[in-house]
Amino acid sequence: MAYDLSKLGILMADDNPHMRVLLRRILTSLGVRNVKEADGGEAMLTLLRSFQADIVFVDWLMPGTDGMTAVRQIRAGEDSPNPYVPIIMMSGHIGIDELLEARDAGVNEFLAKPLSPRIVYDRIIKVIEKPRPFVKTASYFGPCRRRKQMRDYAGPERRGTGGTAAAA
Amino acid sequence: MTIQKNMPSSHYPEGNQGDCQVIETPAILQAKVGTGRGMNLKLLKQAEAAVDELKEEYEARLCEEVAGLAMHYEKMKKAGEYDLEHLYGLSHEMRCEGGTYDYPLISSFADTLCKFIEAQSTGLDDKGEKVVEAHIKALQAVSIGSIKGDGGEVGRSLVAGLDDMVARTVS
């Protein structure tokens, strides 16, 4: 049985209009009905105040407020309207440094351009099927960066005793 | 050249960070999409067909975009002043789109061109100009010849040749 994506609200930000057309086409073909577009990070942050997004797709390299800055605003901004929203970062430029930087900013999934319908669909399925709890420390707020459960881990516990809470 | 990312890399130390709060978030997405598992192949095919419909439009503008890159480069060369950020921006967009529309050579060539430009701190010297011009010629060959896929043996050797040229010039 397939997921019904028709009730999802998706917000995308990319400065390239052709890329926005492409992503919208893919999303609507997959059944998403509610798609909003922004042509930059600032516009995306503004839209996020009035649009209840279930997933955000954001391009990294954009003039003005770039994708990474926007992600940090969403996750850690004092007046962020939706700090827990799943974020899928898109970029044509990826290496291990970029992946680590995105992870440490609170990105849920990374999507390398050029896009394909399969890879876009895969990332949506991942955020649906593999939700991660959020972690708050003095230096990080975002989805848990530990993707694997290491049951036989014998090293020191580095997470202190902050406990568990439910999101407001 | 430095590509602006507005914030420095943030590699947090992996040592003891004191208190760490784990916050369980409500399963809002799951509630909205219902039960299911994995991809629906029918929907995926539908999305692939929708992308296919954009291919013609992409091919029409690809030649224009490559011509635009060549024109901007020639103008800069004539003026003796290179706006590397602008050249990078044009190449970056090509890198991001080619592969989607069955033009992976466009993405490959534009990718090595981006990497080369990133490694330049100031303008372009004679060697640098040769590297950029070789990339532009390769992009023109693919766009004018509508060469899809990996371009066979010629395409693969061109990718390797440009990679090698960039590696030798940058190191």
Side-chain angles (χ1 to χ4, degrees):
Chain A
M1 192 172 166
Y3 294 112
D4 174 9
L5 306 184
S6 65
K7 291 188 185 115
L8 293 183
I10 294 188
L11 174 58
M12 69 162 104
D14 198 309
D15 59 313
N16 182 338
H18 301 297
M19 206 53 82
R20 297 201 300 273
V21 168
L22 169 68
L23 187 54
R24 177 181 281 278
R25 282 273 187 119
I26 293 173
L27 293 172
T28 52
S29 301
L30 293 174
V32 183
R33 287 189 200 149
N34 197 2
V35 181
K36 298 269 189 232
E37 297 176 19
D39 60 4
E42 202 56 52
M44 184 189 80
L45 292 168
T46 303
L47 255 177
L48 206 55
R49 302 203 169 281
S50 56
F51 178 61
Q52 184 60 44
D54 295 303
I55 300 176
V56 166
F57 282 82
V58 59
D59 184 38
W60 187 324
L61 211 57
M62 293 188 286
T65 302
D66 68 13
M68 196 56 66
T69 307
V71 169
R72 290 191 174 100
Q73 285 294 318
I74 292 172
R75 290 287 184 245
E78 277 181 17
D79 57 347
S80 172
N82 197 349
Y84 297 101
V85 67
I87 300 173
I88 299 171
M89 172 67 81
M90 306 182 287
S91 179
H93 181 234
I94 40 164
I96 190 69
D97 287 345
E98 284 76 20
L99 287 172
L100 288 174
E101 191 174 346
R103 183 198 70 163
D104 289 346
V107 161
N108 291 69
E109 297 292 336
F110 206 88
L111 203 169
K113 289 179 177 178
L115 304 184
S116 74
R118 182 176 287 277
I119 201 169
V120 170
Y121 199 6
D122 175 76
R123 296 307 185 271
I124 293 173
I125 299 281
K126 275 209 171 86
V127 296
I128 291 170
E129 292 187 348
K130 295 180 178 170
R132 285 176 277 152
F134 269 59
V135 166
K136 188 176 187 179
T137 71
S139 55
Y140 176 74
F141 176 72
C144 178
R145 292 174 287 185
R146 296 177 183 174
R147 288 180 181 246
K148 289 179 185 168
Q149 291 288 332
M150 297 172 73
R151 295 185 196 286
D152 53 352
Y153 176 68
E157 175 51 62
R158 294 182 298 204
R159 283 198 165 164
T161 53
T164 304
Chain B
M1 181 192 154
T2 306
I3 304 304
Q4 286 294 321
K5 286 176 183 164
N6 290 352
M7 290 280 280
S9 177
S10 56
H11 293 252
Y12 299 121
E14 288 292 328
N16 188 357
Q17 305 203 0
D19 279 358
C20 164
Q21 194 178 14
V22 178
I23 304 161
E24 294 296 341
T25 53
I28 295 171
L29 279 188
Q30 290 82 346
K32 283 195 175 182
V33 300
T35 51
R37 191 175 169 81
M39 292 187 193
N40 176 332
L41 293 182
K42 195 177 155 194
L43 282 180
L44 179 62
K45 280 207 161 60
Q46 210 168 284
E48 285 169 346
V51 172
D52 282 346
E53 284 172 18
L54 294 172
K55 275 184 182 168
E56 208 172 305
E57 181 267 336
Y58 171 75
E59 284 171 357
R61 72 184 153 82
L62 175 62
C63 284
E64 286 173 28
E65 286 175 3
V66 174
L69 172 69
M71 186 196 75
H72 282 289
Y73 169 74
E74 285 303 329
K75 267 189 184 173
M76 290 176 200
K77 187 178 178 184
K78 206 170 175 184
E81 201 174 326
Y82 289 102
D83 181 348
L84 293 179
E85 200 158 337
H86 187 54
L87 282 182
Y88 182 91
L90 296 173
S91 315
H92 175 73
E93 297 305 343
M94 286 181 202
R95 151 169 87 175
C96 288
E97 283 197 277
T100 300
Y101 302 108
D102 205 15
Y103 283 85
L105 286 176
I106 292 289
S107 287
S108 294
F109 298 156
D111 183 50
T112 52
L113 181 53
C114 283
K115 283 174 182 156
F116 175 72
I117 295 170
E118 268 183 80
Q120 308 307 304
S121 50
T122 51
L124 297 172
D125 58 13
D126 289 353
K127 277 185 184 173
E129 287 175 346
K130 283 202 174 88
V131 173
V132 174
E133 285 161 20
H135 278 84
I136 290 174
K137 275 184 191 154
L139 289 164
Q140 283 171 327
V142 173
S143 59
I144 292 166
S146 297
I147 301 169
K148 295 181 179 179
D150 70 0
E153 206 174 307
V154 176
R156 287 190 292 274
S157 70
L158 255 176
V159 171
L162 290 174
D163 268 347
D164 186 51
M165 192 180 196
V166 168
R168 275 188 288 116
T169 313
V170 167
S171 62

